[in-house]
Coordinates of all heavy atoms in Angstrom, one line a residue:
L1 N 234.5 -57.1 166.3 CA 234.7 -58.3 167.0 C 236.0 -58.3 167.7 O 237.0 -57.7 167.3 CB 234.6 -59.5 166.1 CG 233.3 -59.8 165.4 CD1 233.4 -60.9 164.4 CD2 232.2 -60.2 166.4
P2 N 236.1 -59.1 168.9 CA 237.4 -59.2 169.5 C 238.4 -59.9 168.6 O 238.0 -60.6 167.7 CB 237.1 -60.1 170.7 CG 235.7 -60.0 171.0 CD 235.1 -59.7 169.6
K3 N 239.7 -59.6 168.8 CA 240.7 -60.2 168.0 C 240.7 -61.7 168.0 O 240.5 -62.3 169.0 CB 242.1 -59.7 168.4 CG 243.3 -60.2 167.5 CD 244.6 -59.6 168.0 CE 245.7 -60.0 167.0 NZ 247.0 -59.5 167.5
G4 N 240.7 -62.3 166.8 CA 240.6 -63.8 166.7 C 239.2 -64.3 166.6 O 239.0 -65.5 166.4
A5 N 238.2 -63.5 166.8 CA 236.8 -64.0 166.9 C 236.2 -64.2 165.5 O 235.1 -64.8 165.4 CB 236.0 -63.0 167.7
E6 N 236.9 -63.7 164.5 CA 236.3 -63.9 163.1 C 236.2 -65.3 162.7 O 235.3 -65.7 162.0 CB 237.1 -63.1 162.1 CG 236.7 -61.6 162.1 CD 237.3 -60.9 160.8 OE1 238.2 -61.4 160.2 OE2 236.8 -59.8 160.6
T7 N 237.1 -66.1 163.2 CA 237.1 -67.6 162.8 C 235.8 -68.1 163.4 O 235.1 -68.9 162.7 CB 238.3 -68.3 163.4 OG1 239.5 -67.8 162.8 CG2 238.2 -69.8 163.1
R8 N 235.4 -67.8 164.6 CA 234.1 -68.2 165.2 C 233.0 -67.7 164.4 O 231.9 -68.3 164.4 CB 234.1 -67.8 166.7 CG 232.9 -68.2 167.4 CD 233.1 -68.1 168.9 NE 233.8 -66.9 169.3 CZ 233.2 -65.7 169.4 NH1 231.9 -65.6 169.2 NH2 233.9 -64.6 169.8
A9 N 233.1 -66.5 163.8 CA 232.0 -65.9 163.1 C 231.9 -66.4 161.7 O 231.0 -65.9 160.9 CB 232.2 -64.4 163.1
A10 N 232.7 -67.3 161.2 CA 232.7 -67.7 159.8 C 231.3 -68.1 159.3 O 231.0 -67.8 158.1 CB 233.7 -68.9 159.6
P11 N 230.5 -68.9 160.1 CA 229.2 -69.2 159.5 C 228.4 -68.0 159.1 O 227.6 -68.1 158.2 CB 228.5 -70.0 160.7 CG 229.7 -70.6 161.4 CD 230.7 -69.5 161.4
A12 N 228.5 -66.9 159.8 CA 227.7 -65.7 159.5 C 228.1 -65.1 158.2 O 227.2 -64.5 157.5 CB 228.0 -64.7 160.6
F13 N 229.3 -65.4 157.7 CA 229.7 -64.9 156.4 C 228.9 -65.6 155.3 O 228.7 -65.1 154.2 CB 231.1 -65.1 156.2 CG 232.0 -64.0 156.9 CD1 232.2 -64.1 158.3 CD2 232.6 -63.0 156.2 CE1 232.9 -63.2 158.9 CE2 233.4 -62.1 156.9 CZ 233.5 -62.1 158.2
I14 N 228.4 -66.8 155.5 CA 227.6 -67.6 154.6 C 226.3 -66.8 154.3 O 225.9 -66.5 153.2 CB 227.3 -69.0 155.1 CG1 228.6 -69.8 155.2 CG2 226.2 -69.7 154.2 CD1 228.4 -71.1 155.8
G15 N 225.6 -66.3 155.4 CA 224.4 -65.6 155.3 C 224.6 -64.2 154.7 O 223.7 -63.7 154.0
W16 N 225.8 -63.7 155.0 CA 226.1 -62.3 154.3 C 226.1 -62.5 152.8 O 225.6 -61.7 152.1 CB 227.4 -61.8 154.9 CG 227.8 -60.5 154.3 CD1 228.6 -60.3 153.2 CD2 227.5 -59.2 154.8 NE1 228.7 -58.9 153.0 CE2 228.1 -58.2 153.9 CE3 226.7 -58.8 155.9 CZ2 227.9 -56.9 154.1 CZ3 226.6 -57.4 156.1 CH2 227.2 -56.4 155.2
A17 N 226.8 -63.5 152.3 CA 226.9 -63.7 150.9 C 225.5 -64.1 150.3 O 225.1 -63.6 149.3 CB 227.9 -64.8 150.6
L18 N 224.8 -65.0 151.0 CA 223.6 -65.5 150.4 C 222.4 -64.5 150.6 O 221.4 -64.5 149.8 CB 223.2 -66.8 151.1 CG 224.1 -68.0 150.7 CD1 223.7 -69.3 151.5 CD2 224.0 -68.3 149.2
G19 N 222.6 -63.5 151.5 CA 221.6 -62.4 151.6 C 221.6 -61.6 150.3 O 220.7 -60.8 150.1
Q20 N 222.7 -61.7 149.5 CA 222.8 -60.9 148.3 C 222.6 -61.7 147.1 O 222.9 -61.2 146.0 CB 224.1 -60.1 148.3 CG 224.3 -59.2 149.5 CD 225.6 -58.5 149.5 OE1 225.9 -57.6 148.7 NE2 226.4 -58.8 150.5
Y21 N 222.2 -62.9 147.2 CA 221.9 -63.8 146.1 C 220.8 -63.2 145.2 O 219.7 -62.9 145.8 CB 221.6 -65.2 146.5 CG 221.1 -66.1 145.4 CD1 222.0 -66.8 144.6 CD2 219.8 -66.2 145.1 CE1 221.6 -67.6 143.5 CE2 219.3 -67.0 144.0 CZ 220.2 -67.7 143.3 OH 219.8 -68.4 142.2
R22 N 221.0 -63.2 144.0 CA 219.9 -62.9 143.0 C 220.0 -63.8 141.8 O 221.1 -64.0 141.3 CB 220.0 -61.4 142.6 CG 220.0 -60.4 143.7 CD 218.6 -60.2 144.4 NE 218.7 -59.2 145.3 CZ 219.0 -59.3 146.6 NH1 219.4 -60.5 147.1 NH2 219.0 -58.3 147.5
F23 N 218.9 -64.2 141.3 CA 218.8 -65.0 140.1 C 218.4 -64.1 139.0 O 217.3 -63.6 139.0 CB 217.8 -66.2 140.2 CG 217.7 -67.0 139.0 CD1 218.8 -67.8 138.6 CD2 216.6 -67.0 138.2 CE1 218.8 -68.6 137.5 CE2 216.6 -67.8 137.0 CZ 217.7 -68.6 136.7
E24 N 219.3 -63.8 138.1 CA 219.1 -62.7 137.1 C 219.2 -63.2 135.7 O 219.5 -62.4 134.8 CB 220.0 -61.5 137.4 CG 219.8 -60.9 138.8 CD 220.7 -59.7 139.0 OE1 221.9 -59.8 138.6 OE2 220.3 -58.8 139.7
R25 N 219.1 -64.5 135.5 CA 219.3 -65.0 134.1 C 218.2 -64.4 133.2 O 218.5 -64.1 132.0 CB 219.2 -66.5 134.1 CG 219.2 -67.0 132.6 CD 219.5 -68.5 132.5 NE 219.5 -68.9 131.1 CZ 220.1 -69.9 130.6 NH1 220.8 -70.7 131.4 NH2 220.0 -70.2 129.3
Y26 N 217.0 -64.3 133.7 CA 215.9 -63.9 132.8 C 215.4 -62.5 133.0 O 214.8 -61.9 132.1 CB 214.7 -64.9 133.0 CG 215.0 -66.3 132.7 CD1 215.0 -67.3 133.7 CD2 215.4 -66.7 131.4 CE1 215.3 -68.6 133.5 CE2 215.7 -68.0 131.2 CZ 215.6 -68.9 132.2 OH 216.0 -70.3 132.0
R27 N 215.8 -61.9 134.2 CA 215.3 -60.5 134.5 C 216.3 -59.9 135.5 O 216.4 -60.5 136.6 CB 213.9 -60.5 135.0 CG 213.4 -59.1 135.2 CD 212.0 -59.1 135.9 NE 212.1 -59.7 137.3 CZ 211.1 -60.0 138.0 NH1 209.9 -59.8 137.6 NH2 211.3 -60.4 139.3
A28 N 216.9 -58.9 135.1 CA 217.8 -58.2 136.1 C 216.9 -57.1 136.9 O 216.0 -56.6 136.3 CB 218.9 -57.5 135.4
E29 N 217.3 -56.9 138.1 CA 216.6 -55.9 138.9 C 216.9 -54.5 138.4 O 218.1 -54.2 138.3 CB 217.0 -56.0 140.4 CG 216.5 -57.3 141.0 CD 216.7 -57.3 142.5 OE1 217.0 -56.2 143.1 OE2 216.7 -58.4 143.1
A30 N 215.9 -53.7 138.1 CA 216.1 -52.4 137.5 C 216.9 -51.5 138.5 O 217.7 -50.6 138.0 CB 214.8 -51.8 137.2
K31 N 216.6 -51.6 139.8 CA 217.3 -50.7 140.7 C 218.0 -51.5 141.8 O 217.8 -51.3 143.0 CB 216.2 -49.7 141.4 CG 215.5 -48.8 140.4 CD 214.5 -47.9 141.1 CE 213.9 -47.0 140.1 NZ 212.9 -46.1 140.8
A32 N 218.8 -52.4 141.3 CA 219.5 -53.3 142.3 C 220.5 -52.5 143.1 O 221.2 -51.7 142.5 CB 220.1 -54.5 141.5
E33 N 220.5 -52.8 144.4 CA 221.5 -52.2 145.3 C 222.9 -52.8 144.9 O 223.0 -54.0 144.6 CB 221.2 -52.5 146.7 CG 222.1 -51.8 147.7 CD 221.7 -50.3 147.9 OE1 220.5 -50.0 147.9 OE2 222.6 -49.5 148.0
G34 N 223.9 -52.0 145.0 CA 225.3 -52.5 144.7 C 225.7 -53.4 145.8 O 225.0 -53.6 146.8
P35 N 226.9 -54.1 145.7 CA 227.4 -55.0 146.7 C 227.6 -54.4 148.1 O 228.1 -53.3 148.2 CB 228.6 -55.6 146.1 CG 229.1 -54.5 145.1 CD 227.9 -53.9 144.6
R36 N 227.3 -55.2 149.1 CA 227.6 -54.8 150.4 C 228.9 -55.7 150.7 O 228.8 -56.9 150.8 CB 226.6 -55.1 151.4 CG 225.3 -54.3 151.3 CD 224.4 -54.9 150.3 NE 223.0 -54.4 150.4 CZ 222.0 -54.7 149.6 NH1 222.3 -55.5 148.5 NH2 220.9 -54.2 149.7
I37 N 230.0 -55.1 151.0 CA 231.3 -55.8 151.1 C 231.6 -55.9 152.6 O 231.6 -54.9 153.3 CB 232.4 -55.1 150.3 CG1 232.0 -55.0 148.9 CG2 233.7 -55.8 150.6 CD1 232.9 -54.0 148.1
L38 N 231.9 -57.1 153.0 CA 232.3 -57.3 154.4 C 233.8 -57.6 154.4 O 234.3 -58.5 153.7 CB 231.5 -58.5 155.0 CG 231.5 -58.6 156.5 CD1 231.0 -57.4 157.2 CD2 230.7 -59.9 156.9
L39 N 234.5 -56.8 155.2 CA 236.0 -57.0 155.3 C 236.3 -58.0 156.4 O 235.7 -58.1 157.4 CB 236.6 -55.6 155.7 CG 236.3 -54.5 154.8 CD1 236.9 -53.2 155.2 CD2 236.7 -54.8 153.3
T40 N 237.4 -58.8 156.2 CA 237.8 -59.8 157.1 C 239.3 -59.9 157.2 O 240.0 -59.8 156.2 CB 237.2 -61.2 156.7 OG1 237.7 -62.2 157.7 CG2 237.6 -61.6 155.3
A41 N 239.8 -60.2 158.4 CA 241.2 -60.4 158.6 C 241.5 -61.9 158.5 O 242.7 -62.3 158.3 CB 241.7 -59.8 159.9
E42 N 240.5 -62.7 158.7 CA 240.6 -64.2 158.8 C 240.3 -64.8 157.4 O 239.1 -65.2 157.3 CB 239.8 -64.7 159.9 CG 240.1 -64.2 161.3 CD 241.4 -64.7 161.8 OE1 241.9 -65.7 161.3 OE2 242.0 -64.1 162.8
V43 N 241.2 -64.8 156.5 CA 240.8 -65.2 155.1 C 240.5 -66.6 155.0 O 239.5 -67.0 154.4 CB 241.9 -64.7 154.2 CG1 241.7 -65.2 152.8 CG2 242.1 -63.2 154.2
K44 N 241.4 -67.5 155.6 CA 241.2 -69.0 155.3 C 239.9 -69.5 155.8 O 239.2 -70.2 155.0 CB 242.4 -69.7 155.9 CG 242.5 -71.2 155.5 CD 243.7 -71.8 156.0 CE 243.8 -73.3 155.6 NZ 245.0 -74.0 156.0

């Protein structure tokens, strides 16, 4: 992304996190993929 554009992209990080949501209280995925980590310079 262009410099400074990550702030505008903040809503997309919600979908990135929720795309990896799993409810595992009663059953864990046997072959669950590890985390996909998204790097950001715009922390706040």
Side-chain angles (χ1 to χ4, degrees):
L1 292 171
K3 187 176 181 180
E6 280 194 342
T7 299
R8 178 166 43 83
F13 284 73
I14 296 174
W16 181 268
L18 291 175
Q20 299 180 68
Y21 171 86
R22 301 291 184 271
F23 180 68
E24 297 181 327
R25 171 163 183 159
Y26 302 115
R27 183 188 67 189
E29 293 186 17
K31 297 181 180 179
E33 188 77 41
R36 295 83 162 178
I37 299 165
L38 197 56
L39 305 179
T40 177
E42 302 287 343
V43 175
K44 187 173 181 179

